[in-house]
Amino acid sequence: WHPVTLPLCSLHHEKLKLFCLDHQQPVCVVCRDSIAHKNHSFRPIDEAADDHRKELKELLAPLKLLKMITEYTKGEFDQIAETIKVQAQQIEEQIHEEFKKLRQFLQKEENARITALRTEEKQKSQRMKEKTEDLNRTMETLSETIRATEEQLRAEDVVFLQSYKAAVNRVEQLPLLDAPQLVSGALIDVAKHLGNLTYNIWNKMKEMVSYTPVILDPNTAHPQLIMSDDLTNVTFGGRQKVPDNPERFDKYKVVVGSEGFNSGTHIWDVEVREEGVWSVGVVNESFERKVETRSGFWQLCFEDEEYRVATAGTYYVLSVKKLQRVRVQLEYDRGTLSFYDLDAYTLIHTFKHNFTEKLFPYVGTEKKQPKILPVILKVDEHITPLSTGF
């Protein structure tokens, strides 16, 4: 054991046993009685040290908390950075795959059109060859008859008259043919192969191309929701390791669309089926995503084996049965949100509200797979000219 040696006062060389509360510094007993510390307050050095340690610890606590939050946030940033790399790689692979499909379609279409062109070329060339051969045979027969007849015409009168009847018979035996004429449709049908070529390919391409009016945003999906590659289908599963970014829902097992609406009419269809727990509808842009809230949403849901519509903490049980496909129709300017049974062609429910924020479509699930359905693409046959000219 070694006794603690207190520092000495620089003025009086006495041990610093006191703390001047006015000057906020250690002093000795001689300093206490000096004029410099007249009428000052003092505390024993150990008590003052304890008080100041406590005060400093209190000041240090927020810094420690800030350090913990900073470390956590840095971890989130690191995860986001890694997720960005993974997302970029996956997106690039999907882009390559989609363009591969398009290139295969275009290559197949090109081959089919080249084949059709070569088939027509072969058929019409063969037709010309056959007609040319017929003309050659006709020309050969005519030439031989003309040559023989002209030779007889040059013969002596007696010889000519002796062979006259045979020459007439030879000429009359040849059928009297009409003069040969060019045939219609002999050339390649250029217009058929080149007319509106890109438009016709585009029109045919719609058979392999789908368009979905609502695309779900995976960056908003609850960690237990798994998105399909085309971002239209959501499946409930195990909790995924994803960044806790501000856009992501944590309290509710939902995902919102990538685009919000603050005007106009918008329609999208959702395949829901009568399974598990699901919900469809819209939420305000400011809807709380990390904590529970009871406002800012309008929904149709299936829960506890019954269909409900709900908003702002209130809900109504519906009498509909066995919904398979639901149409959601938002008429923002009119302030209505309607749900339809797409198979029965009946209205389920209409919300009326004076919308003031941008609204985002959403789907939620805990057991099944709601799916945003694609729409049928129709190419407009009534083309409007760029300029009428008059």
Side-chain angles (χ1 to χ4, degrees), residues 208-258:
M208 65 168 292
V209 175
S210 64
Y211 171 76
T212 307
V214 170
I215 296 298
L216 302 175
D217 183 357
N219 294 334
T220 68
H222 184 278
Q224 288 183 270
L225 297 185
I226 303 169
M227 307 297 301
S228 62
D229 289 341
D230 62 0
L231 305 180
T232 64
N233 195 351
V234 58
T235 304
F236 182 80
R239 194 175 186 90
Q240 305 170 89
K241 187 178 180 181
V242 293
D244 187 23
N245 48 299
E247 303 90 347
R248 191 176 305 282
F249 283 86
D250 186 68
K251 181 62 181 177
Y252 301 101
K253 297 176 179 64
V254 302
V255 55
V256 300
S258 60

Side-chain angles (χ1 to χ4, degrees), residues 196-210:
N196 288 324
L197 177 60
T198 54
Y199 173 84
N200 291 331
I201 295 174
W202 172 61
N203 190 16
K204 190 173 181 179
M205 188 180 289
K206 74 179 187 293
E207 298 175 4
M208 65 168 292
V209 175
S210 64

Side-chain angles (χ1 to χ4, degrees), residues 36-50:
H37 293 277
K38 186 179 181 180
N39 297 325
H40 285 187
S41 299
F42 300 90
R43 296 282 298 279
I45 198 75
D46 57 342
E47 292 183 9
D50 289 343

